[in-house]
Amino acid sequence: MRRQFDVNVFGATAVAKAFLPRFRQRRSGSIVNITSMGGLITMPGIAYYCGSKFALQGISDVMRAEMAPFGVHVTAVCPGSFRTDWAGRSMVRTDRSIPDYDALFEPIRKARLEKSGRQLGNPDKLALAVLELVKMDNPPAQLLLGSDAYQLVSDKLDRMQDEIARYKDLTLSTDG
């Protein structure tokens, strides 16, 4: 867990902090934080990864608001599954220690390994999209990349809207 947060949160924010004084001084710049669709949705078996990406997503949102007066754009890029080695040799897996979860995690692990290197997302096209992003005069707060990210995040937002509406009365009952 510490390693995930060290790389995905503390590493990304350290890089941003190194550039922000210069960007404030010149009154322009772009910070592109690579989060993940896993920073907007959750997936069983990768809680620490998702948690670190949720953290970077939140930090990016705050940084965007804080840096806007200085002409600095901050975007969280949220890719889906891309043909990189994240699901292969670069993924560090913990030893299985709770057999109760085997039925849930084993099919997920197997599918992830089978798809490794064959995901829909093309890394070259992701790079081109990021280059397009930094040219924008008014870039988005977050940019989903990949049809899987688009569909999974859209589905989650729909579920959230339904749940928020369903519990509106209880939510509002705490005022006053």
Side-chain angles (χ1 to χ4, degrees):
M1 181 175 182
R2 285 191 192 278
R3 184 153 190 243
Q4 284 286 321
F5 277 76
D6 281 344
V7 171
N8 294 342
V9 180
F10 301 120
T13 55
V15 170
K17 285 174 66 174
F19 282 92
L20 290 177
R22 291 169 184 84
F23 289 171
R24 276 193 306 270
Q25 183 179 29
R26 72 180 195 190
R27 296 299 199 246
S28 68
S30 294
I31 298 290
V32 177
N33 285 325
I34 305 298
T35 65
S36 168
M37 68 177 174
L40 296 166
I41 64 169
T42 58
M43 294 166 276
I46 55 173
Y48 300 157
Y49 174 82
C50 289
S52 70
K53 295 300 187 172
F54 266 80
L56 185 57
Q57 189 75 29
I59 290 167
S60 297
D61 284 349
V62 172
M63 192 183 302
R64 180 179 177 84
E66 292 175 350
M67 298 309 296
F70 304 105
V72 178
H73 302 293
V74 179
T75 299
V77 172
C78 312
S81 294
F82 276 74
R83 288 186 300 275
T84 62
D85 195 33
W86 73 267
R89 69 174 173 78
S90 68
M91 181 178 274
V92 176
R93 291 172 173 81
T94 57
D95 292 331
R96 301 306 319 211
S97 61
I98 305 173
D100 289 342
Y101 291 108
D102 287 346
L104 173 65
F105 292 144
E106 285 309 317
I108 293 170
R109 283 181 174 196
K110 182 179 178 195
R112 207 173 276 142
L113 283 171
E114 287 172 357
K115 290 179 187 174
S116 183
R118 292 187 298 279
Q119 295 91 339
L120 274 178
N122 180 330
D124 294 332
K125 290 183 177 182
L126 183 145
L128 293 173
V130 171
L131 290 174
E132 189 68 28
L133 171 75
V134 297
K135 293 179 196 173
M136 293 179 184
D137 291 331
N138 188 22
Q142 53 269 322
L143 177 64
L144 299 173
L145 291 177
S147 58
D148 56 345
Y150 181 85
Q151 190 62 56
L152 291 168
V153 173
S154 294
D155 291 348
K156 179 183 179 177
L157 291 173
D158 289 344
R159 288 190 308 274
M160 285 180 70
Q161 282 292 103
D162 290 346
E163 187 173 274
I164 289 168
R166 190 173 334 119
Y167 294 100
K168 179 180 178 183
D169 291 341
L170 182 58
T171 297
L172 300 180
S173 74
T174 60
D175 290 352

